[in-house]
Amino acid sequence: MNNNYIKQLVELYNQHKDEEYANWSQNYLRNQFQFLGIRTPIRRKLTKQFLNEYGVPSKENLKEIILTLWDLPEREYQKAALDILEKVKKELTPDDMPWLCTLLVTKSWWDTVDVLSPHIMGYLFTVYPQLISSYADEWILGDNIWLQRSALLYQLRYKKQTDEGRLFHYIRTRADSNEFFIQKAIGWVLREYGKTNPDAVKEFVATNQLKPLSKREALKRLL
């Protein structure tokens, strides 16, 4: 069943390849991934059409299907996997965390991590807060920049539910990072939290040593 499911999606996507846009997309992501060249609105429409016809994977087949899509060379299939995960995230449990974490550290780039972290991990950490100490608290201390970024961004959509103390602690832990994607994530999450608690963000930026990029991004709409 799973092989046929993937085969049908591949056939559908292959009907809409665009070599020119594939080349543009490959250059945009620094030639790290291959592309079919399907523009995002078209891909989403195709995925919706596919899921309407074939359904979302059952829980017992979900892991195999997502990991198979993740292994395919073209980036559109990782995006399809993320679309499917968004549809079924309420069925995910703590038992799924190990394989979900492999998605964060495999074929890692901002375009996948920035969906996985706030939308999938952020959801699971809300439903199962006991997971935070075993995962996000460890990610921020580790050497993998994509796990660090995930720890910083999982609260991106939390608004009033933001654990301010933990967020600020994570930022302080990585405030001296020279990694562009960490500096950018710090600024982004502070800017988003600033929409909920602007005074706290202004005070935090004023009283902590942040990289210029992080500071600039954080205060972009607060000055």
Side-chain angles (χ1 to χ4, degrees), residues 115-170:
V115 176
L116 283 164
S117 180
H119 293 283
I120 306 303
M121 300 306 181
Y123 170 78
L124 281 166
F125 290 158
T126 299
V127 180
Y128 306 102
Q130 70 274 18
L131 294 174
I132 297 172
S133 60
S134 302
Y135 289 94
D137 284 357
E138 297 297 322
W139 295 344
I140 199 65
L141 297 175
D143 295 329
N144 187 295
I145 67 163
W146 299 111
L147 292 180
Q148 294 170 15
R149 186 172 169 100
S150 297
L152 290 163
L153 295 182
Y154 84 82
Q155 297 195 76
L156 192 66
R157 311 291 181 193
Y158 278 21
K159 299 181 180 178
K160 291 183 179 179
Q161 279 68 53
T162 298
D163 181 341
E164 183 181 291
R166 182 174 255 115
L167 176 63
F168 288 171
H169 170 66
Y170 284 3

Side-chain angles (χ1 to χ4, degrees), residues 35-54:
F35 283 85
L36 295 169
I38 305 174
R39 295 176 185 273
T40 298
I42 297 174
R43 178 185 55 75
R44 286 176 176 160
K45 185 177 180 180
L46 292 173
T47 305
K48 182 178 180 180
Q49 171 189 328
F50 174 81
L51 293 176
N52 284 340
E53 184 172 352
Y54 293 97

